Amino acid sequence: MEETDQVLEAVGPRLRALRKRRGLTLADVSTATGTSESTLSRLESGGRRPTLELLLPLARVYGVPLDDLVGAPRTGDPRIHLKPIHRHGMTFIPLTRRAGGVQAFKMLIPGRPEPAEPTPQTHGGYEWVYALNGRLRLVVGDRDMILSPGEAAEFDTALPHWLGSADGHPVETLVLFGPQGERAHLRTRTART
């Protein structure tokens, strides 16, 4: 068997595992992607060959990079393997390894058939959130706001806060967290030449 065939055969089980981990039915995924339930079922069972047109919407719905669906090898520095952290139904991918000080994470909020109800939490520190993809609902204290891609917010995590999808679709964010209350410092003026 060719290596390409082995890679494609592994896609179906990955798709099924992702769907089940997120508690979605074939009907839920069909509605979210516009792909028929029978096509999705055949993809998962290996009866249908995966194509880019079929995998891109699935990657969006499951909130994972396309590479994860096809089992592409990791790129970048092979000595660094930061393990994802799964909390409160979200995935946090560490982007830094620095002990103490500001930590950087990519946060993935999976899609759901219904947007989640906020369950605000508090803890020490300060957070800066930048929306990459999807519409992020951010509740901080008595403020309830929606961040679209390219928008950012910062807040003291001692205030009750919650992050989730505004519309039930997957959301990707970049998060900087200072455990001791460190804040992100933005430079807005350009140097004169």
Side-chain angles (χ1 to χ4, degrees):
M1 180 181 285
E2 262 185 55
E3 185 179 335
T4 302
D5 291 335
Q6 289 175 334
V7 168
L8 292 176
E9 277 188 13
V11 171
R14 278 192 197 92
L15 291 173
R16 179 176 285 120
L18 279 166
R19 179 175 58 79
K20 291 188 178 216
R21 239 180 301 174
R22 282 157 177 73
L24 298 172
T25 65
L26 286 171
D28 296 331
V29 178
S30 175
T31 300
T33 63
T35 304
S36 73
E37 287 181 55
S38 65
T39 298
L40 292 169
S41 177
R42 289 192 336 256
L43 269 174
E44 288 185 1
S45 67
R48 171 88 188 243
R49 193 169 176 95
T51 64
L52 196 54
E53 291 80 19
L54 292 170
L55 294 179
L56 283 173
L58 291 169
R60 271 192 230 96
V61 167
Y62 296 140
V64 298
L66 187 59
D67 289 355
D68 286 3
L69 296 183
V70 296
R74 300 215 177 264
T75 58
D77 188 336
R79 296 170 295 174
I80 300 172
H81 296 285
L82 300 176
K83 302 255 188 241
I85 301 162
H86 303 282
R87 274 196 199 128
H88 311 292
M90 297 179 278
T91 302
F92 298 84
I93 302 167
L95 301 176
T96 58
R97 272 199 154 156
R98 188 173 154 216
V102 176
Q103 301 290 317
F105 298 90
K106 181 175 183 182
M107 182 175 72
L108 305 172
I109 302 170
R112 306 168 49 124
E114 299 277 328
E117 281 299 313
T119 53
Q121 306 287 320
T122 62
H123 52 85
Y126 206 83
E127 202 161 299
W128 183 85
V129 180
Y130 180 83
L132 295 168
N133 288 307
R135 297 176 67 232
L136 175 70
R137 181 174 177 199
L138 174 63
V139 176
V140 179
D142 59 358
R143 296 192 64 191
D144 192 337
M145 60 200 96
I146 295 175
L147 302 179
S148 295
E151 294 184 313
E154 62 178 318
F155 56 93
D156 185 334
T157 57
L159 293 170
H161 61 282
W162 177 87
L163 296 93
S165 172
D167 53 16
H169 290 96
V171 178
E172 292 179 56
T173 67
L174 178 64
V175 176
L176 298 179
F177 173 71
Q180 307 303 320
E182 297 93 336
R183 298 178 67 164
H185 297 282
L186 302 177
R187 185 179 253 174
T188 57
R189 293 196 317 169
T190 58
R192 295 178 193 232
T193 55

